[in-house]
Amino acid sequence: MKFFTLALMCIIQILMSSNAQASAEPIFAKPGEWVQIANLDQILEDNPESEALLVILDQQKQLDPGMVSSYRDVAVRIESAKTMSRMMSLFRPSWHPDQGDLIIHRYEIVRGSQLIDLTAKDDVFEVIRRERNLERQMINGMLTTITQIEDLQLGDIVRLSFTITTQNKALAGRVQTIGGFTSENFNIDFTRQLVRWPDKMKIKWRGSKEDIVPEQSRQNGWNILNFGYRTKDQDFKIPKNAPARFKKKNYFEVSSFASWADVARVNSALYPENDGIEAGGDLDLEIQAIAEQTTDKKERMALALRLVQDKIRYLYNGMGFGNYTPQTPEDTWRMRYGDCKAKTYLLLAALRRLGIKSVPMLVNTKQRDAVAERLPSFQAFNHIIVKAELDGKVYWLDGTHSGTRLADMADSPTHRYGLPSQKRNAALEEIPIRRPGRPYQMAKVTYDLAAGTDLPAPFELKATLRDSDAQKLKDAITQLSAEKTKEVREKLALQYVLEGLITESDFTYDEELETGYLTAKGLAYLGWKTKSDKRRHELWSMPSTFKIQKSRDKEELRDLPVQLSYPIYFKYQAIYELPERYENSEMLGRTDVNEEIGGYQFSRSVRKEGTRVISDEEYYMNRWELPASEFEPARKKLALLNRKDVEIVLPADAPGPWLEVENYKASSGIEKHKAAFDRHVAIAKVDDDGPLRNRAYFFQTIGDYERAITDLKAALAIESNSENYKWLGDLQLGIDPESALASYTKATEIKPAYFDALLEIIRLHVRDGKYDEANLVLENAKKDGLSDTSADSLQIEILQAEGRFDQALEMMNTLVDEEPDSATYLADRCLLRMMEKIDLDLALEDCTNVIELSQRSSYFHFIRALVHYRQGNYDLVVNDLDKAVKANDNYGYVYHLRAAAHGKLGNKLKSENDMKAARFHYKYAGWYWSKFIN
């Protein structure tokens, strides 16, 4: 069970002396005549079978001018040894000795007909000062009574009733209070909650939800509210991203403040212009020094804010009337610590003396939009800042923050609503959102494309951070090992770079500006693709990371808006340094954008300057929330924008990837790549196989298979992986088939039903005429969970190789009859007939059906091209393989077959180039398919 006590809290509070004549020890006295005392005997008689732990929970409040008296009567039934410990919080009343008293009326054990008065015992209560938030530099001065009861027996009822009085002179005679409710799921024999006040007082009340409505009555000149409300479980949960007003707790507020203007007027009086700063004193001289430093009022304002932020540390101390009344600027300066009010008053005093119009402004750091629905009182706020005006522009200044500089002065705070505390005409104000003066993240990445499109591009990153990432890195430097710090740097750096690896990184932090600077170098795989016979690269764009809420399924939640994550401001620049051979590249897509999408104000500018492509993007949040009616339109708008990302398109005459790599290998630039990969391996952790795999792929790309094999074996020694053993087998295939067979076998030991590895094992066996071994591999794979479709494909391979074509064809016909729309079976039957060079027209029909059933399959176009080749239709071979390349331009066997077709057509140069492309993509591209090409 949880009981929530809702109270006004300030982020940082300050020590304040008190003139109140209250007691630091409990007072023992009868309750006031206004209290309606619950009759325990009657309650027990009315609930004879009850097993409720709480017998009584009676809460009553009386409001008088300048004072709130809160009465509580609690009775707990002891049904187990754990009951008392679970309920002890109810028997530990806390009070503020500088603002009122704790008056104990009753503390007793009811044991059947016996009444044991615990107040008659000496030292039954011990008063302690318990500070729960010292680690957060917060002390509140509250006192708590604790008690130990001896000899409790099962069936006992422990009852405590007390009154706490509260008088806060800072409220200038006004009163305010707040109360919560217990759940209807928790059994209580008797509960009530009353609030009363005399007719002479003008009191307002409000429930946090529409169904919190008390019974209202008048008795003998007193108004009474009777709250019988109990909290109810909802069958749906309010989403976390809903605005605060939809996530309200269950509570009621009562206040004698007439309006927000009344709250502002009372608070304004706590920050008088007669600030008590001693003429010629240290603080006065500090302010004069600012005035002498510059005549520019905005610069003066920035210097005054910096004085408060940098030279006054935080401390919460709620003793005395410190929870509302600020200490004097002189005290704050002398002690060099203060809370939100102390810092605000000091800043106000400085600004006023510097000729800058300013007032204190009450805000709430958590409730944002919900403040507008609160009852006017101090309870609606938990923080205070300064609202300043200069040359017609409003500035919101927070002395409890740090690192605010001149460029940030006009930034909007996150509070959404604020109450400027002025003597006249004050009203609750919604704070407009402005684009922050400086980005919270700003990154610049430069890519060097001298090596072409298939080798990773060297990059250099420079990022400026003013958010939690900067603090995280700063903390890592001071708290973590060098290795862990490096990991944090690299992980963050890779967020700004397209897929790649880091070879060096560094981070520095400027304490003066509270800004971090991250730099990194490495290699990035940019993911170039071929489309319409042109190489192209899609620029990464910020909107790809935007998240816009979907329409909610539950009807109760469908109209809920989304609270947006203000403040966000991110700038990103990507520069692509193109070689001269790409000078005639073009850009496709929306190169210039400036629009709002679901609360994201986004702009993009992409331009080409000589051989450089420069992309500048930025976005910030420009709304507090997004209404539900805009979810789907915004999502459609975002999807449309993401479909129009900018592409760099290389000229049609740009050299192919294989030629670029060959040319680059002959240049000195290749050594830079080798050095980068070597460094990446050298700085890696001993248990990290990633850098070795990256270097292996690089060596494969430049055709150095032996070094690729060496690196891949080293990576596998760190971590065994089925895919990497398959890769190792592919690299070994043309050099050492026996080693390749061993690697494929190892892959299947790790992943028994691994089809690609099984296919290579079976092909190696049947090539050597080892059909029994091939069949044994297949049978074992079936036992290990190989799917029927995959098993059938492998069985066909074996039967065809054994010369049992008729049996294989009969098997395929049966499978196709059972599943006539199976692309896999149709493709296997087409391939079977191609291998035997029998019924090629029927094979062609199957392959054509497969292509119609599937979309953009490079492999299916390839096998139809094989049929065309067996028929001698070489033009059709080239036509199909052109389509295969458009679907996927990374398969060496496709280029190998097209090279053969071009050779048959007499296209010598095209044939040579395709053969080079085939070997570039995979050196042994023709090892299996060559036997079908003659």
Side-chain angles (χ1 to χ4, degrees), residues 4 52 58 61 112 253 283 316 324 345 406 483 584 691 723 748 764:
F4 295 96
D58 190 5
K61 297 186 180 186
E253 298 177 280
L283 178 55
Y316 173 103
Y324 294 132
Y345 196 9
L406 187 64
E483 186 174 282
N584 294 325
E723 284 74 17
T748 60
L764 281 168

Side-chain angles (χ1 to χ4, degrees), residues 403-420:
T404 306
R405 298 297 180 256
L406 187 64
D408 315 316
M409 297 295 292
D411 290 3
S412 303
T414 62
H415 316 310
R416 187 164 180 178
Y417 284 94
L419 180 63

Side-chain angles (χ1 to χ4, degrees), residues 458-461 493 501-506 519-523 679:
F459 72 83
E460 183 173 353
L461 164 71
L501 54 92
I502 305 295
T503 58
E504 58 181 275
S505 62
D506 189 31
T519 60
K521 292 182 180 180
L523 299 170
R679 176 169 175 77

